[in-house]
Amino acid sequence: MAPCLSFFFLFLFAFSAIPANSLPTFFPGAAYQSLIKQAKISKPKLPFKTHYFPQTLDHFTFQPKSSKLFYQKYLINSDYWRKGAPIFVYTGNEGNIEWFAANTGFMLDIAPKFKALLVFIEHRFYGKSMPFGKDSYQSAKTLGYLNSQQALADFAVLITSLKQNLSSEASPVVVFGGSYGGMLAAWFRLKYPHIAIGALASSAPILQFDKLIPWSSFYDAVSQDFKDVSLNCYQVIKGSWAELEAMSTQKQALAELSKTFRTCKSLHSTASARDWLWTAFVYTAMVNYPTKADFMKPLPAYPVQKMCKIIDKIPSGATKLSRAFAAASLYYNYSRSENCFKIEHEVDGHGLHGWGWQTCTEMVMPMTCS
Amino acid sequence: MAPCLSFFFLFLFAFSAIPANSLPTFFPGAAYQSLIKQAKISKPKLPFKTHYFPQTLDHFTFQPKSSKLFYQKYLINSDYWRKGAPIFVYTGNEGNIEWFAANTGFMLDIAPKFKALLVFIEHRFYGKSMPFGKDSYQSAKTLGYLNSQQALADFAVLITSLKQNLSSEASPVVVFGGSYGGMLAAWFRLKYPHIAIGALASSAPILQFDKLIPWSSFYDAVSQDFKDVSLNCYQVIKGSWAELEAMSTQKQALAELSKTFRTCKSLHSTASARDWLWTAFVYTAMVNYPTKADFMKPLPAYPVQKMCKIIDKIPSGATKLSRAFAAASLYYNYSRSENCFKIEHEVDGHGLHGWGWQTCTEMVMPMTCS
């Protein structure tokens, strides 16, 4: 059985412990933040200027502390802009805004045609946009202000002010977003129709709530991605879970696993190996772009195809687990810079820390596998 | 000069003192609450059953105290309802909900045709729907939760829950409202399009903000109402302000005014007489219904016409002020039950107390006269 199901039960019965891989479309929850590596993320010079906007803490009450201000980061590219022309706004999601600016080339591609101004707004409680500085994640008293409704209001206030400052009130605004950012873009158009004339919401599961869609749809799509390339590939990955489970009852499991997975330090838990594999397959399916890209990790074009090629090439005599490891290495070491893997000690490179809070308050999107 | 202009300046320069008559479409602000009489408001038996809904204090943060519940009053009439048929919801505004239920006959009129369920929801911080009981108006810490966004969210939560409890999720919901309640109805349809398929917003100045419409439009309409009936009538009312102003510099002004206005107790301020007249003319224009009605006060059909008849009949030898008083008496004493007028001591009969807070926080709608 694939691990997602057991994680799903965890999700149901141990709600306070956020099982990140039950919520994968929107990027890592708390547990998985540790699996994202900071050191390897290249930081290219982005064609944007950085600004900070004095933003209101609470848009929906008039309590004395509601009017506290914090500084919200946003990026601007005016290379192609002609006053009065459209303003394209990326409604930032759960990470620092540079990450999305570096990976939303589409907006840069179309900016010259529309003579558009490009604006990337960082979501409150991510990146540098911390309402209470280093104390922002201290408790529910501070984190209580982290939610989508407040974020949408932030965007509305910032866009309105920006247009006034640019004396370009008549410029039509179109919002863009991907994943949770796409949900924000779609909701923004719905909730603030007088501010945005349109929204482009990419990979945005705006209906992944309650029982509106089958809870298995996400993992069905992940499995199908691998099946489409090679049935053997899919079966090897699926079988590797059972091998790992069987192994975990053995005495020498951790030592053997540490060897198989070429870990830099000995593993403390077989769950770490499981999560590490899960991340590789699920995230690679999520970023199975037709071009070379570097969103979660540097990867070649059609990385699922490449992974399955690795699996299918290794003789069937090898264990499924070792073959799954080899495929996962594509995700973690496409750049061939790793001699060993820091499976239990990777760090949060994109500032995703707040997503755990959001998945436990508003973004409760149950998922299971078929 | 009509008094509205001076009040308008008051509004600009002394913002903390809310001049009610700068915001008249939405019913009395703090100053004018004292001009509404409780004793005379008839309380007919309404065809509704009273319910209370456990409502969330703060819909937009996840702070520990946000989840505090209060009991929100709502009224139901299911006399005509057939399960699955439409639900007509009145989005309550700045007063106790019975007041609106008693004066929105249109919904009762059309209910049989649509086999509709009728629901009147009381706005938070009015009537019995007090989040902090008697302390609700204590300070900004409590009043901070009084605003339109929270009220709209209240309606959304209550309607959704009600439909589930009635096992009637498929019933289409149409929201209705008048004045500020109409603004709420229109905004509700915009902000919660998945909950309401339509809105009927009556007398709802949803654009009376910033510089979207001329600030004089409300008072222009009031003046026009009187001009349409009789130019003399309009001129007498307008002239009475000057007479009152000239008089107020005289020594015996208060004694004389008290006599002219047949006050029960001696006046302490000429401004009271001015406000009392203002209320009579503005509110009568606001409720210039073609039928006998009792919204603000009991009045005949076409009360503006009746007022002007009074003014035009009195010989022009009489002062304008005395003629204006005679006309105003129609508003305050149509039922002929008053021997004298409690000009400075009337009470808030509709529970409008919170409107002052709202006009100073969100509902800042500047008005002036031409």
Side-chain angles (χ1 to χ4, degrees):
Chain A
M1 184 189 285
C4 55
L5 196 54
S6 56
F7 266 68
F8 172 65
F9 287 126
L10 232 181
F11 186 63
L12 278 180
F13 298 124
F15 200 78
S16 62
I18 311 142
N21 57 358
S22 61
L23 300 150
T25 19
F26 320 85
F27 308 140
Y32 271 87
Q33 290 163 18
S34 63
L35 293 175
I36 297 162
K37 189 152 185 182
Q38 188 159 37
K40 291 293 162 195
I41 293 165
S42 56
K43 288 187 178 166
K45 176 89 185 106
L46 295 173
F48 293 98
K49 277 192 183 154
T50 302
H51 298 266
Y52 290 90
F53 181 80
Q55 188 58 268
T56 303
L57 176 64
D58 186 352
H59 299 280
F60 303 104
T61 72
F62 290 95
Q63 291 202 310
K65 63 181 173 182
S66 305
S67 53
K68 174 183 142 64
L69 296 179
F70 69 96
Y71 286 89
Q72 182 170 28
K73 190 173 183 176
Y74 64 105
L75 310 177
I76 292 226
N77 176 317
S78 56
D79 292 350
Y80 311 104
W81 196 50
R82 199 186 52 196
K83 202 163 133 177
I87 299 175
F88 293 163
V89 176
Y90 187 92
T91 50
N93 33 316
E94 72 284 26
N96 63 62
I97 193 62
E98 288 85 356
W99 186 30
F100 303 109
N103 287 284
T104 313
F106 175 65
M107 285 169 68
L108 269 168
D109 291 347
I110 61 172
K113 181 171 176 185
F114 291 94
K115 308 202 185 308
L117 183 75
L118 300 181
V119 186
F120 280 74
I121 309 177
E122 194 163 70
H123 192 297
R124 55 165 61 196
F125 287 86
Y126 294 98
K128 297 279 180 209
S129 303
M130 293 295 175
F132 302 92
K134 285 178 184 172
D135 298 330
S136 295
Y137 284 70
Q138 202 166 50
S139 71
K141 273 195 179 180
T142 51
L143 275 171
Y145 297 100
L146 166 53
N147 61 63
S148 65
Q149 294 289 324
Q150 299 279 4
L152 292 173
D154 289 342
F155 300 146
V157 171
L158 197 158
I159 293 168
T160 306
S161 171
L162 183 67
K163 289 179 78 172
Q164 281 169 352
N165 285 341
L166 295 169
S167 301
S168 197
E169 283 92 340
S171 280
V173 171
V174 180
V175 286
F176 294 73
S179 187
Y180 168 53
M183 297 157 80
L184 291 173
W187 292 334
F188 190 82
R189 169 69 183 126
L190 278 173
K191 301 292 172 194
Y192 297 92
H194 60 302
I195 296 180
I197 62 153
L200 193 151
S202 174
S203 305
I206 53 168
L207 299 180
Q208 184 91 41
F209 294 96
D210 299 323
K211 292 173 184 169
L212 295 173
I213 60 154
W215 290 354
S216 65
S217 53
F218 176 78
Y219 286 107
D220 287 349
V222 171
S223 297
Q224 197 59 47
D225 278 358
F226 287 89
K227 278 184 200 165
D228 283 349
V229 174
S230 143
L231 196 59
N232 176 60
C233 174
Y234 161 75
Q235 283 163 343
V236 166
I237 293 170
K238 191 171 180 181
S240 72
W241 307 124
E243 282 187 13
L244 188 61
E245 210 173 322
M247 207 175 154
S248 62
T249 59
Q250 293 165 21
K251 247 188 173 177
Q252 291 298 311
L254 287 172
E256 201 180 318
L257 268 179
S258 299
K259 202 180 147 196
T260 310
F261 280 70
R262 285 174 39 208
T263 62
C264 302
K265 290 184 181 174
S266 296
L267 287 175
H268 293 86
S269 156
T270 54
S272 309
R274 178 197 62 187
D275 296 351
W276 189 82
L277 286 178
W278 178 94
T279 301
F281 298 126
V282 172
Y283 287 10
T284 301
M286 273 166 54
V287 297
N288 190 28
Y289 304 132
T291 55
K292 203 177 153 182
D294 179 13
F295 187 47
M296 301 307 292
K297 296 271 189 188
L299 281 173
Y302 297 111
V304 170
Q305 227 170 48
K306 301 284 190 305
M307 270 191 170
C308 285
K309 217 174 200 172
I310 293 169
I311 286 179
D312 291 344
K313 266 191 180 171
I314 299 178
S316 55
T319 63
K320 285 172 176 154
L321 194 57
S322 68
R323 290 194 282 165
F325 165 78
S329 300
L330 180 87
Y331 178 76
Y332 292 107
N333 198 19
Y334 176 61
S335 56
R336 308 249 174 187
S337 53
E338 307 290 342
N339 295 317
C340 60
F341 294 106
K342 299 188 195 76
I343 287 185
E344 286 172 342
H345 302 92
E346 299 221 14
V347 291
D348 177 6
H350 301 297
L352 292 154
H353 193 36
W355 187 238
W357 168 268
Q358 291 199 259
T359 56
C360 268
T361 48
E362 279 188 300
M363 302 297 149
V364 182
M365 293 172 276
M367 291 187 190
T368 185
C369 7
S370 48
Chain B
M1 184 190 284
C4 55
L5 194 55
S6 56
F7 266 67
F8 172 65
F9 287 125
L10 230 180
F11 186 64
L12 277 179
F13 299 123
F15 200 78
S16 61
I18 311 141
N21 57 356
S22 61
L23 299 149
T25 20
F26 320 85
F27 309 139
Y32 271 88
Q33 289 162 20
S34 63
L35 294 175
I36 298 163
K37 188 151 184 186
Q38 188 161 38
K40 294 294 161 193
I41 292 163
S42 57
K43 287 187 178 165
K45 176 88 185 109
L46 295 172
F48 292 98
K49 275 190 184 157
T50 302
H51 298 266
Y52 289 90
F53 181 80
Q55 188 58 267
T56 303
L57 176 63
D58 187 353
H59 299 281
F60 303 103
T61 73
F62 290 94
Q63 291 201 310
K65 62 181 173 183
S66 305
S67 52
K68 174 184 142 62
L69 296 178
F70 69 95
Y71 286 89
Q72 183 170 28
K73 190 173 183 177
Y74 64 105
L75 310 176
I76 291 225
N77 176 320
S78 56
D79 292 349
Y80 312 104
W81 196 49
R82 200 186 51 196
K83 204 164 131 175
I87 299 175
F88 293 164
V89 176
Y90 186 92
T91 51
N93 34 315
E94 72 284 26
N96 63 64
I97 194 61
E98 288 85 358
W99 186 32
F100 303 110
N103 288 282
T104 313
F106 175 65
M107 285 170 67
L108 269 167
D109 291 346
I110 62 172
K113 182 173 176 182
F114 290 95
K115 306 205 187 306
L117 184 75
L118 299 181
V119 185
F120 280 75
I121 309 177
E122 194 164 71
H123 193 295
R124 56 167 59 197
F125 287 85
Y126 294 98
K128 296 281 181 206
S129 303
M130 292 294 173
F132 301 92
K134 286 177 184 173
D135 299 331
S136 295
Y137 284 70
Q138 201 165 55
S139 72
K141 274 194 176 178
T142 51
L143 274 171
Y145 297 100
L146 166 53
N147 61 63
S148 65
Q149 295 289 324
Q150 300 278 4
L152 292 172
D154 288 342
F155 300 146
V157 170
L158 197 158
I159 292 169
T160 306
S161 171
L162 183 68
K163 288 178 80 173
Q164 282 169 350
N165 286 341
L166 294 171
S167 300
S168 198
E169 282 93 340
S171 280
V173 170
V174 180
V175 285
F176 295 73
S179 187
Y180 167 53
M183 297 157 80
L184 292 171
W187 291 334
F188 190 82
R189 169 69 184 128
L190 279 172
K191 300 291 172 192
Y192 298 92
H194 60 302
I195 296 180
I197 62 154
L200 192 152
S202 174
S203 305
I206 53 169
L207 299 180
Q208 183 91 43
F209 294 96
D210 299 324
K211 292 173 187 171
L212 295 173
I213 60 155
W215 290 354
S216 66
S217 53
F218 175 79
Y219 287 107
D220 286 350
V222 171
S223 297
Q224 197 59 47
D225 278 358
F226 288 90
K227 277 185 201 163
D228 284 348
V229 174
S230 142
L231 195 61
N232 176 59
C233 172
Y234 161 76
Q235 284 164 341
V236 166
I237 294 170
K238 190 170 181 181
S240 72
W241 307 125
E243 282 187 13
L244 188 60
E245 212 175 319
M247 208 174 150
S248 63
T249 58
Q250 294 166 19
K251 243 186 176 177
Q252 290 299 311
L254 287 172
E256 202 181 320
L257 269 180
S258 298
K259 202 180 146 194
T260 309
F261 281 69
R262 284 174 41 206
T263 62
C264 301
K265 290 183 182 178
S266 294
L267 287 174
H268 292 86
S269 156
T270 55
S272 309
R274 177 197 62 189
D275 295 351
W276 189 82
L277 285 178
W278 178 95
T279 302
F281 298 126
V282 172
Y283 286 11
T284 301
M286 273 166 55
V287 297
N288 191 28
Y289 303 133
T291 55
K292 205 179 153 184
D294 179 12
F295 187 46
M296 301 306 291
K297 295 272 188 185
L299 282 173
Y302 298 112
V304 170
Q305 224 169 48
K306 301 283 191 306
M307 272 190 169
C308 286
K309 215 172 201 173
I310 292 170
I311 287 179
D312 291 344
K313 265 191 181 172
I314 300 178
S316 55
T319 62
K320 284 173 177 155
L321 193 58
S322 67
R323 290 194 281 166
F325 165 76
S329 300
L330 180 87
Y331 178 76
Y332 292 108
N333 198 19
Y334 176 61
S335 56
R336 309 247 174 188
S337 54
E338 307 289 343
N339 295 315
C340 59
F341 295 107
K342 299 189 195 75
I343 287 184
E344 285 172 342
H345 301 93
E346 299 220 14
V347 293
D348 177 5
H350 301 296
L352 293 155
H353 193 37
W355 187 239
W357 169 267
Q358 291 199 259
T359 55
C360 267
T361 49
E362 279 189 299
M363 302 297 149
V364 182
M365 292 173 276
M367 290 187 190
T368 186
C369 9
S370 48

